[in-house]
Amino acid sequence: MSNNQMPSMLHPLQIGKHIARYPIMQAAMAVRVAGAQLAGAVANAGGVGMIASLGLGLDSPYFNQRKPSSFFSANRLALIDELSKARCISPDGVIGVNILVGTKDYAKLATTAAAEGANLIVTGAGMPLTLPEYTADFPDVALVPTIANFDAAQFLCQTWKNRYNRLPDALIVENCQKVGGHFTQCEQINVPGFSVGWVVSQIRDYLAETMGVRIPLIVTGGISDRHDIDQMLAIGADGVQMGTRFITTIECDANQRYKERHLQANLADIVTVPSPVGKPSRALRNAFAEEIIVDSSQKRSCIANCLDTCLFRDKGKTYCLLNALAQAARGDVEHGLIFSGANVSHPGRMMSVAELMADLTA
């Protein structure tokens, strides 16, 4: 889009039976960065508000630190609370829950989210090959897997079609070069012409020619302003998912120091760090990041046994992901892990979600 070309009008985004006024989904950021306050405000402003389920129970009254096994029931009860709070904030908005496939309470949280009124379930950190089983009693709940490449999209769609005679209600397509937090290595990054637009085009053609359908494709990674949104829509996306930009809003559920750290960040602060899930992660540079880049082995103990596979718990490598994310979100911005997308451009001040959405959709 040229500099003197007026931006086009943003169209609504329909995912299953649910319609958001704008094609903007707020990313779910754990632990308690994206909770009820943020999700409710985004939904109220016409976007898709998302609650991150990872670690919701950690600082809740339901978790007894002397009994780590209470973590999973605490997560479920805290999720019920967050959904209720978000719905009070936005009675008619589109509100979803993000659930990580690689967590031990994935199935329980998916069923809970569906039963407690989530409009959609977004998954990450693994292939949700059995997700339709957990929401079978709630057909109005839209299912939205996150995928990193064409092969993953093809395998997932074929599996769901064969097993359940259904397809995802939408797919979130990661831009592996810019997405925050964990990302899948771009195996095809050196292929001539590789780009997120190329991946979107491949998936779109496959869905149309092989499956005979058109479902929404939502791009995530490095999107921070209206220009970025228009670029993604121009390459064929139906919507965008944005995370980092929503951190610097008044309603973001994280501690104020966490938000201010993002306001102060620039491109030089973006680093890639190891993770106990075995994938690289994008984060902001701080004392914790510098330490784990040099030597990722930490002395702290596993606090909740939350992941199916964990290099920290199983092999004594890396660190406790749950604790590292929680430390940062509580406001310890030097000794916790601060996930961030590759694009950290901000307006230089905190603003409300309503202000941000107005800026993005003007």
Side-chain angles (χ1 to χ4, degrees):
M1 188 174 68
S2 64
N3 291 333
N4 33 6
Q5 182 179 344
M6 292 294 291
S8 59
M9 180 182 297
L10 294 180
H11 296 288
L13 175 64
Q14 180 166 356
I15 303 176
K17 296 183 177 181
H18 312 289
I19 302 175
R21 188 159 73 249
Y22 300 115
I24 299 172
M25 176 184 288
Q26 160 244 318
M29 297 159 285
V31 175
R32 287 193 171 274
V33 175
Q37 288 188 142
L38 181 57
V42 173
N44 246 1
V48 178
M50 295 297 302
I51 296 169
S53 67
L54 178 65
L56 272 179
L58 191 61
D59 290 335
S60 76
Y62 308 114
F63 179 52
N64 183 345
Q65 293 186 5
R66 295 181 179 178
K67 296 181 179 179
S69 61
S70 68
F71 175 74
F72 298 110
S73 61
N75 257 2
R76 187 181 68 83
L77 293 171
L79 177 57
I80 293 171
D81 286 352
E82 292 298 300
L83 278 167
S84 177
K85 292 174 188 175
R87 189 54 73 192
C88 286
I89 295 169
S90 182
D92 302 314
V94 181
I95 296 171
V97 174
N98 178 283
I99 305 172
L100 303 185
V101 178
T103 53
K104 290 191 172 183
D105 53 352
Y106 154 61
K108 176 62 72 175
L109 290 180
T111 302
T112 300
E116 296 298 325
N119 298 126
L120 60 150
I121 292 174
V122 171
T123 62
M127 292 287 278
L129 299 181
T130 56
L131 179 61
E133 295 177 18
Y134 311 136
T135 62
D137 293 335
F138 307 96
D140 288 347
V141 177
L143 305 182
V144 186
T146 301
I147 52 92
N149 51 50
F150 168 73
D151 290 341
Q154 182 183 45
F155 180 61
L156 180 72
C157 289
Q158 288 179 342
T159 300
W160 280 22
K161 186 68 174 176
N162 293 337
R163 288 184 185 176
Y164 309 109
N165 194 31
R166 69 160 297 171
L167 293 172
D169 295 286
L171 288 171
I172 296 176
V173 182
E174 284 187 350
N175 181 350
C176 57
Q177 296 163 306
K178 294 185 177 182
V179 72
H182 295 110
F183 61 94
T184 299
Q185 294 279 29
C186 301
E187 296 89 351
Q188 299 169 305
I189 200 166
N190 293 320
V191 174
F194 175 85
S195 67
V196 69
W198 181 64
V199 178
V200 167
S201 178
Q202 279 190 310
I203 296 172
R204 179 76 71 207
D205 290 346
Y206 163 73
L207 290 170
E209 296 168 9
T210 304
M211 294 295 179
V213 296
R214 190 186 195 285
I215 66 173
L217 300 180
I218 301 163
V219 172
T220 187
I223 300 160
S224 66
D225 57 24
R226 179 58 189 272
H227 175 72
D228 295 336
I229 294 172
D230 286 331
Q231 278 194 320
M232 293 303 102
L233 299 181
I235 66 171
D238 298 284
V240 298
Q241 180 179 259
M242 302 173 63
T244 303
R245 188 70 194 274
F246 280 104
I247 291 173
T248 55
T249 59
I250 294 166
E251 294 89 345
C252 175
D253 295 77
N255 183 276
Q256 184 69 15
R257 289 189 293 274
Y258 186 92
K259 304 179 194 184
E260 290 171 354
R261 180 67 183 86
H262 278 274
L263 276 179
Q264 299 159 3
N266 55 52
L267 288 177
D269 292 318
I270 303 297
V271 293
T272 299
V273 299
S275 165
V277 304
K279 289 185 176 183
S281 303
R282 275 192 192 90
L284 294 184
R285 186 186 303 275
N286 63 2
F288 181 83
E290 295 280 9
E291 182 180 354
I292 61 175
I293 289 171
V294 174
D295 179 8
S296 63
S297 297
Q298 301 287 301
K299 303 301 182 185
R300 296 174 183 268
S301 60
C302 174
I303 60 175
N305 192 26
C306 61
L307 300 174
D308 280 331
T309 301
C310 175
L311 292 175
F312 179 65
R313 180 197 63 218
D314 301 336
K315 297 185 177 181
K317 297 179 179 180
T318 67
Y319 51 90
C320 176
L321 179 65
L322 194 62
N323 184 70
L325 292 171
Q327 284 287 99
R330 292 170 184 147
D332 187 351
V333 295
E334 279 304 315
H335 304 101
L337 180 61
I338 308 175
F339 278 162
S340 175
N343 191 341
V344 290
S345 61
H346 294 298
R349 66 178 180 89
M350 209 74 63
M351 62 172 60
S352 69
V353 165
E355 285 181 284
L356 174 56
M357 287 292 288
D359 182 55
L360 295 173
T361 59

